[in-house]
Amino acid sequence: MTTPSNSDQSLAPLLRTPSSSTLGSPSSQTSISDASDPKLRQKRRALRAVAFVVSIIAALCAGSITVFSLYGHLFQSRLHYTQFQINGIASAMSLSMYIPVPVIGYMCDRVGPGPLSFLASVLLGGGYGLAAGLYQKGLAEVGEGGKNGRTTFPPMIFAFVAIGVGTSCMYLGAITTCAKNFGKSKYRGLMMVAPIASFGLGGMVLSQIGSRILYEIQPDGAKGDVNVFHFFLFLCVILAILGLIGTFTLRIVDEDDLIDGAVEELERSGLLEGSEIFRRRANRDYGAIDAVDDDAGAMDPARDDDDEDDNAKLKKTWLLNAETRRFLTDHTMWWFAVGFWLIIGPGEAFINNLGTVIGTLYSPSTRTNETTAATHVSIMATVSTVARLLAASLSDLLSPSPHSQHIQTGFPTSLPQLRQKLSVSRIVLFIAAAIIMSIGTLVQASGVVQEHGERFWIVSGSIGAGYGAVFSLTPIIITMIWGVENFGTNFGIVALSPALGSTMWGLIYSAVYQVGARDSPSLAEGADDDVFCFGKQCYSSTFWAMTICIWIGSAMVLWAWKGRDGWSKRGIVI
């Protein structure tokens, strides 16, 4: 059993794509010459640089989905939507952003990020355009005595579903492009997190554009709230154009080399033994040798190219499917995914309900002293961006890394590169970020911010920092353990959890809010006192539950690392 058979030896050449570059012709001679051609190397660097820049800008604009709290409260005050309706829109947007991610990631791994960018252009342009029209229609209906957006609410849900799916396409395409193009980089964590940080920064940039440029002018000439109609039109145009640009510029450079490296890594680990797909192909190819002399067209270069292309496609499909199965059958992935769900859900719900949370801090008699949603959207976006970049930098500088960018098997091939004496696991950084996030929910739950809006920065800053760092470290951990070649699919599966968490906590918050509204003073004489809520009873129990939930999630991630048959016990470098 220890001596390779002839058939086993015959597998080796079949597991390597003759082309080492998507830019070159599919032949081994071209592959060797490509590696030494300075013009081709320069072209590849240029393609990677352009793809990186477009990814950053695309992620920045895709961050528009995080500024829902900038205008969400206006759906309540202007369109007379209830808190449940507002959370219905936010939940639909969140679900549509995360639920399709496994399918979108699957498509991105197999057809590339370019087609996804085109789909994002259509969905985001159409979604924000439809939302703009519905908002104007809702204002007209309210002026005519309409109530609770009976005609505008269902299509508004549809518009934000399109926005969610489009955001997912644009965002996942951006980070997958960076993850695969810079998988060999010394600072691959930072390069991959750059679009993730840009996504968070987009919230700050776009909220400032909305509040400082696209604002309403009050009768006395002062600045008012964001002009929702103009803001939606602005996002419609900019995202549609950017999606079209990404269609032609987002691409994976040297993808064949990436697949070859992953196959060779699995081959060395012994995990390719018994692959019937390659064994059948080997028998077919070797069985055809006797007929070569009798086949006048056997030396046709076009036929050789077709065979090599088919072999490359077969190998890529087999590898990605095999890695997906390995990912799904790894029990530590499920501990990690559920822990991520418990941690990130409260953060998602807080972002979506930031505006109404601020509204609960003051009674109607002291409304002039309140802070603004735009201010804390900017605080969260800024702190979150810094936390994302800092977490990625610490991951690259302090944490151990495997020698390659491919899936870790626990075999000697996964030994870490030599590092300085100080070494901090990425799981330690992850749990520390979760604890920071729980500090924010704990402060809010305690009620020390009630009637003291100047203290609310502690809540938004802590939650923003923890949320940003956790979201930054999650894809890094996935690539370190399960490799980059199937990153879109793997990350897409884990990214389902924020949708479930956001929906669950959004409903919990809404239910507590609506119950608390019954004991709150009305906004004004004659107003509907079952719509607005003021006081600690509107949120306290929700945020206590969020805090405990984050702690439980942290313990589950710790178990995936140090628990029974965890990453540490299997020799996984993380």
Side-chain angles (χ1 to χ4, degrees), residues 314-378:
L314 173 69
K315 177 170 57 177
K316 178 180 177 181
T317 301
W318 175 87
L319 175 69
L320 296 181
N321 291 341
E323 291 200 353
T324 300
R325 288 193 298 270
R326 186 175 178 84
F327 182 74
L328 290 174
T329 55
D330 188 341
H331 74 280
T332 59
M333 183 279 290
W334 294 105
W335 282 102
F336 180 71
V338 174
F340 179 62
W341 164 57
L342 294 175
I343 293 170
I344 214 68
E348 290 277 347
F350 178 79
I351 291 172
N352 291 336
N353 294 283
L354 178 61
T356 55
V357 171
I358 291 175
T360 65
L361 300 181
Y362 293 97
S363 65
S365 60
T366 57
R367 305 268 309 166
T368 56
N369 297 324
E370 67 176 316
T371 186
T372 64
T375 298
H376 290 280
V377 168
S378 298

Side-chain angles (χ1 to χ4, degrees), residues 380-404:
M380 284 197 67
T382 304
V383 173
S384 177
T385 301
V386 173
R388 291 170 199 252
L389 295 175
L390 180 61
S393 300
L394 292 176
S395 168
D396 287 333
L397 296 173
L398 300 181
S399 301
S401 294
H403 83 287
S404 76

Side-chain angles (χ1 to χ4, degrees), residues 159 240 296 306 319 359 371 486 493:
D306 290 342
L319 175 69
T371 186
N486 202 41
I493 292 170

Side-chain angles (χ1 to χ4, degrees), residues 83-84 87 360 504-520 530-546:
Q83 186 61 40
F84 270 115
N87 268 286
T360 65
M504 181 182 76
W505 286 109
L507 293 174
I508 293 173
Y509 172 77
S510 296
V512 174
Y513 184 99
Q514 292 293 115
V515 171
R518 299 172 186 170
D519 300 324
S520 300
D530 61 340
V531 175
F532 297 97
C533 184
F534 310 101
K536 184 179 175 181
Q537 76 278 3
C538 305
Y539 57 79
S540 181
S541 58
T542 301
F543 280 87
W544 278 118
M546 286 180 174

Side-chain angles (χ1 to χ4, degrees), residues 173-221:
I175 61 176
T176 301
T177 298
C178 293
K180 294 188 177 184
N181 279 340
F182 300 98
K184 295 181 180 179
S185 172
K186 179 181 178 182
Y187 301 106
R188 57 179 173 175
L190 186 60
M191 297 299 288
M192 183 178 64
V193 166
I196 299 176
S198 182
F199 182 82
L201 185 63
M204 181 193 71
V205 174
L206 294 172
S207 67
Q208 292 303 310
I209 291 176
S211 60
R212 296 181 181 274
I213 299 177
L214 302 174
Y215 57 85
E216 296 175 336
I217 300 178
Q218 295 180 348
D220 60 358

Side-chain angles (χ1 to χ4, degrees), residues 44-285:
R44 290 170 184 153
R45 285 195 295 267
L47 288 173
R48 285 191 178 96
V50 170
F52 179 75
V53 171
V54 174
S55 295
I56 296 298
I57 299 174
L60 181 78
C61 293
S64 61
I65 201 169
T66 65
V67 300
F68 182 83
S69 57
L70 179 66
Y71 52 81
H73 63 288
L74 296 178
F75 286 172
Q76 187 179 43
S77 60
R78 303 288 177 80
L79 303 185
H80 293 181
Y81 286 3
T82 65
Q83 186 61 40
F84 270 115
Q85 287 177 314
I86 295 173
N87 268 286
I89 294 174
S91 296
M93 179 178 65
S94 181
L95 285 170
S96 63
M97 179 180 176
Y98 291 113
I99 292 297
V101 167
V103 176
I104 294 172
Y106 182 92
M107 292 169 56
C108 190
D109 286 332
R110 285 153 178 79
V111 303
L116 291 184
S117 184
F118 177 77
L119 180 59
S121 175
V122 175
L123 292 174
L124 289 171
Y128 277 114
L130 176 60
L134 291 172
Y135 184 81
Q136 284 295 92
K137 180 181 178 182
L139 291 178
E141 288 184 353
V142 170
E144 297 172 358
K147 186 177 180 181
N148 292 339
R150 291 176 180 174
T151 61
T152 60
F153 177 68
M156 188 71 80
I157 288 282
F158 176 80
F160 276 88
V161 166
I163 291 169
V165 177
T167 299
S168 182
C169 291
M170 185 169 285
Y171 177 64
L172 191 59
I175 61 176
T176 301
T177 298
C178 293
K180 294 188 177 184
N181 279 340
F182 300 98
K184 295 181 180 179
S185 172
K186 179 181 178 182
Y187 301 106
R188 57 179 173 175
L190 186 60
M191 297 299 288
M192 183 178 64
V193 166
I196 299 176
S198 182
F199 182 82
L201 185 63
M204 181 193 71
V205 174
L206 294 172
S207 67
Q208 292 303 310
I209 291 176
S211 60
R212 296 181 181 274
I213 299 177
L214 302 174
Y215 57 85
E216 296 175 336
I217 300 178
Q218 295 180 348
D220 60 358
K223 285 184 180 180
D225 288 305
V226 61
N227 188 312
V228 179
F229 176 69
H230 291 166
F231 187 59
F232 283 170
L233 286 182
F234 166 75
L235 294 176
C236 168
V237 174
I238 197 72
L239 288 168
I241 294 175
L242 186 58
L244 292 176
I245 294 174
T247 303
F248 304 101
T249 56
L250 294 181
R251 60 183 302 178
I252 310 301
V253 182
D254 290 339
E255 186 177 18
D256 287 345
D257 285 350
L258 181 67
I259 300 299
D260 285 341
V263 169
E264 290 170 1
E265 186 79 12
L266 293 176
E267 191 177 24
R268 282 194 297 268
S269 70
L271 296 179
L272 286 184
E273 185 177 354
S275 173
E276 290 299 324
I277 292 179
F278 290 107
R279 193 175 302 280
R280 287 196 302 268
R281 188 160 184 94
N283 294 335
R284 188 188 71 182
D285 290 347

